[in-house]
Amino acid sequence: KYEKIWLWSGAVCLTIFLLIVGVSAFAMGNQPPSHMETIDPEKAAVTAPFDKPGLNKIGDKEYEAVMLAQAFTYTPSKMKVPLGSTVHFKVTSTDVVHGFEIPSTNVNMMITPGYVSEITHTFDKPGKYLILCNEYCGAGHQLMAVTLEVT
Ligand code: CUA
């Protein structure tokens, strides 16, 4: 009869564990890091916040860059932030897979239609940073680059 007690305590522990996982996953919105925000690529350009792509000031030296990648450019094509700014990039594609790389930083991500890719970087050095596409996306791929100026 001791086995029964152990079996029951095991079952109770398992139930409690599953409850904790379930509550944290669904009620608190905890998701594994692979979770990504999705978006309908056909409607991406008219869906907020991508209907108004651009640089938004969200705090002291803190910006959100909402960007659209489409063959063969990014919108907006020019941005300017003060030195020391932290920029939260939020990017999606309206057509095919594009890249999003800022050489000499650790910003490097893939922009997949249907998904919102996010990355944050603090720009501590002044200069003109290139944002470029590093995924072959068609005939104009090598032209796909815009600038972010840090002054
Ligand atoms: Cu976009 Cu290559």
Side-chain angles (χ1 to χ4, degrees):
K1 47 183 159 21
Y2 286 113
E3 282 98 333
K4 253 190 179 164
I5 294 169
W6 282 114
L7 201 67
W8 272 108
S9 65
V12 167
C13 285
L14 190 67
T15 309
I16 290 171
F17 176 74
L18 286 176
L19 269 175
I20 292 169
V21 170
V23 166
S24 68
F26 297 104
M28 294 155 74
N30 273 345
Q31 295 286 346
S34 61
H35 167 74
M36 285 184 101
E37 205 182 319
T38 55
I39 190 166
D40 180 350
E42 311 250 300
K43 295 185 189 128
V46 293
T47 305
F50 298 101
D51 55 336
K52 292 188 188 92
L55 194 64
N56 307 314
K57 197 173 197 296
I58 55 172
D60 186 36
K61 287 201 173 178
E62 196 159 9
Y63 294 83
E64 181 187 56
V66 176
M67 299 180 77
L68 274 177
Q70 49 206 141
F72 299 100
T73 190
Y74 301 93
T75 313
S77 59
K78 267 187 187 143
M79 290 182 292
K80 207 173 172 179
V81 296
L83 186 63
S85 293
T86 297
V87 183
H88 305 276
F89 296 95
K90 202 169 195 181
V91 195
T92 193
S93 165
T94 57
D95 41 40
V96 296
V97 172
H98 294 285
F100 190 95
E101 183 185 356
I102 306 180
S104 82
T105 72
N106 58 2
V107 175
N108 190 348
M109 56 183 181
M110 201 187 251
I111 312 301
T112 310
Y115 293 91
V116 177
S117 301
E118 295 185 54
I119 198 163
T120 295
H121 186 74
T122 302
F123 293 88
D124 292 323
K125 286 186 190 128
K128 270 195 175 176
Y129 290 80
L130 268 185
I131 298 175
L132 50 87
C133 182
N134 59 6
E135 292 285 339
Y136 183 74
C137 54
H141 162 70
Q142 70 280 0
L143 306 170
M144 189 163 171
V146 296
T147 53
L148 170 70
E149 201 177 344
V150 178
T151 52

